[in-house]
Amino acid sequence: MKKKVTLKQIARELDVSVSTVSRALADSKEIGENTRRRIQAFAKFLNYKPNNIALSLKNKKTKTIGVLIPEIVHHFFSTVIRGIEIVANERGYNVIVGLSNESFSKEVLNMEMLANGSIDGFILSISKETLLKQDYHHFNETISQGIPIVMFDRVVNEVECDKVIVDDFKGSVKAVKKLVDNGCKHIGLITTMDYVSVGRLRTQGYLRALEESQVYAEPNLILKLDDMVSLEENLDILESEIEHLFKRNPKIDGVFAVNELYAVTAMKVAKKLGYAIPDDLQVIGFTDGVLSKHASPSLTIVSQHGQKIGEKAADLLIDRLEMDDDESDANINENTREEAFETYVIETEIIERESTK
């Protein structure tokens, strides 16, 4: 294997100091033009490549973003990552993706590992176990170390940072009102427990839409599922819970589900029980993924625009990183600087398919 060329070798060959070589390769005007050109030409001849790890340790910058997501199976998170990648690559940053698997301890471990000199900042969505525990010390500690965070989708007010969200409440109101406008009178809700912020907001939107439409919100029509049990791995449990919802509510004629897995499973169970979709039962779900498009019938959804979320989150983080660099260069006093964090809301839209009239 060919040995890597080092600054020390170039310095020895040209009879100059290592610091002179380093500054010349950085095109520093402190080094005379002739010496600069000679060192740069010789380094190019030897095919010298800078040690990015060493440079990042010296400069305290890695040009790398850490992305932490709760799960990989949901199409939404993969579209967010795609958006982050697009902007990061355009602006000269690399991306490392970590997975919490909805675990508080794994989320903490991932952050500690990546914050130890591997990344400049985080883009993340909080794990369900963290939301359940309401323990956010690892986020605040990371920020206090000078590593900025941008949260998306699942966010909390207790952490002061930039955030990118969709209007979960408003999107749910629109979806449920569409079912009402389509003639549904007994609309079921399949949602998460309230400790998951997006599930709570979508539940509130469901209730508001029924109230404004003067439709009675029947408690029996609301199914709250504990997502700490991985329902993706226990689809039999999910199907059984949804089947009970239908059997105890024989008049059900509409379903709003807070994610596409719940919605597609509801359609599967409904068809098994003899419902014709959309004639007997209309269904709308949140998130426009592969399941929604290829379900039979295809699913009407509330689109979250995952790629847009990722693009905006990456822009917010990189803007903050580069703003911090500019302020550092200008020697702005950290004690006098006021942080102005932004919460950016992306509008949802309903994409109509075959599961509604």
Side-chain angles (χ1 to χ4, degrees):
M1 187 174 170
K2 195 173 178 182
K3 207 170 179 181
K4 189 174 175 70
V5 178
T6 65
L7 293 178
K8 194 178 286 186
Q9 284 175 265
I10 297 171
R12 188 169 59 244
E13 292 287 340
L14 297 177
D15 197 24
V16 294
S17 69
V18 172
S19 62
T20 298
V21 174
S22 177
R23 285 201 288 265
L25 293 177
D27 210 29
S28 169
K29 299 297 184 281
E30 295 175 37
I31 309 300
E33 187 177 351
N34 288 339
T35 304
R36 265 202 335 268
R37 286 183 177 175
R38 185 164 64 98
I39 291 171
Q40 288 169 0
F42 188 64
K44 187 175 181 182
F45 172 73
L46 293 177
N47 197 28
Y48 168 76
K49 304 287 184 191
N51 185 332
N52 288 328
I53 295 173
L55 281 173
S56 69
L57 288 172
K58 181 181 175 185
N59 299 325
K60 302 269 198 273
K61 292 293 173 188
T62 66
K63 299 288 280 186
T64 301
I65 293 168
V67 178
L68 198 54
I69 58 171
E71 52 187 310
I72 204 71
V73 294
H74 280 187
H75 182 261
F76 168 68
F77 290 115
S78 62
T79 60
V80 173
I81 292 169
R82 182 166 68 233
I84 294 168
E85 282 271 4
I86 289 168
V87 170
N89 291 339
E90 283 174 356
R91 298 186 65 173
Y93 284 75
N94 299 309
V95 175
I96 294 176
V97 180
L99 189 62
S100 71
N101 272 331
E102 304 289 13
S103 160
F104 169 78
S105 60
K106 193 164 184 188
E107 185 175 81
V108 172
L109 187 65
N110 272 317
M111 291 195 74
E112 287 176 349
M113 181 179 67
L114 290 173
N116 193 21
S118 299
I119 53 99
D120 297 333
F122 282 103
I123 297 172
L124 60 87
S125 187
I126 305 173
S127 77
K128 284 173 182 168
E129 190 177 8
T130 301
L131 291 168
L132 181 60
K133 283 176 172 285
Q134 297 184 22
D135 184 346
Y136 311 122
H137 77 277
H138 49 305
F139 303 134
N140 290 318
E141 285 174 10
T142 299
I143 293 167
S144 70
Q145 291 171 29
I147 300 172
I149 289 175
V150 175
M151 290 182 171
F152 72 91
D153 191 44
R154 302 181 197 162
V155 305
V156 289
N157 295 328
E158 290 86 346
V159 180
E160 292 188 0
C161 65
D162 295 311
K163 292 156 190 166
V164 185
I165 57 173
V166 297
D167 196 333
D168 291 291
F169 177 82
K170 193 172 169 184
S172 300
V173 169
K174 284 191 290 189
V176 175
K177 282 190 172 181
K178 174 165 182 55
L179 291 172
V180 172
D181 292 343
N182 284 3
C184 296
K185 292 182 170 55
H186 304 279
I187 301 168
L189 170 69
I190 306 175
T191 186
T192 61
M193 294 296 181
D194 284 344
Y195 64 80
V196 182
S197 55
V198 292
R200 182 174 66 251
L201 287 166
R202 292 170 193 175
T203 299
Q204 290 169 355
Y206 161 86
L207 294 170
R208 175 64 63 82
L210 292 182
E211 181 186 343
E212 291 181 355
S213 303
Q214 297 183 324
V215 175
Y216 174 61
E218 302 170 55
N220 270 353
L221 282 169
I222 298 174
L223 174 60
K224 291 189 178 183
L225 297 163
D226 185 0
D227 250 8
M228 291 310 295
V229 177
S230 178
L231 294 170
E232 288 83 359
E233 296 172 9
N234 297 278
L235 288 175
D236 290 345
I237 298 173
L238 178 58
E239 289 181 18
S240 174
E241 293 279 358
I242 292 173
E243 188 168 333
H244 287 316
L245 173 70
F246 285 125
K247 286 182 173 176
R248 68 174 180 258
N249 295 285
K251 291 184 178 179
I252 190 169
D253 54 7
V255 168
F256 173 59
V258 300
N259 62 47
E260 69 169 353
L261 176 65
Y262 292 179
V264 170
T265 306
M267 290 200 298
K268 178 185 174 183
V269 171
K271 285 194 293 182
K272 186 178 79 172
L273 294 174
Y275 288 85
I277 301 170
D279 294 335
D280 301 329
L281 181 78
Q282 298 183 59
V283 183
I284 299 179
F286 235 96
T287 308
D288 188 19
V290 176
L291 291 176
S292 305
K293 294 183 182 78
H294 297 289
S296 179
S298 57
L299 178 67
T300 295
I301 55 91
V302 182
S303 177
Q304 288 176 274
H305 301 296
Q307 184 171 319
K308 282 186 187 175
I309 291 175
E311 290 172 356
K312 183 62 182 178
D315 270 327
L316 282 172
L317 181 61
I318 294 169
D319 285 348
R320 189 162 292 281
L321 289 169
E322 295 182 352
M323 177 179 70
D324 287 347
D325 287 345
D326 291 343
E327 289 178 351
S328 177
D329 291 342
N331 293 318
I332 289 178
N333 188 329
E334 288 287 325
N335 294 324
T336 62
R337 186 181 76 183
E338 284 189 18
E339 297 279 14
F341 295 113
E342 181 180 352
T343 296
Y344 190 88
V345 182
I346 290 176
E347 287 288 319
T348 58
E349 65 174 316
I350 293 178
I351 298 175
E352 293 188 47
R353 296 200 181 103
E354 298 165 345
S355 66
T356 52
K357 294 177 182 176

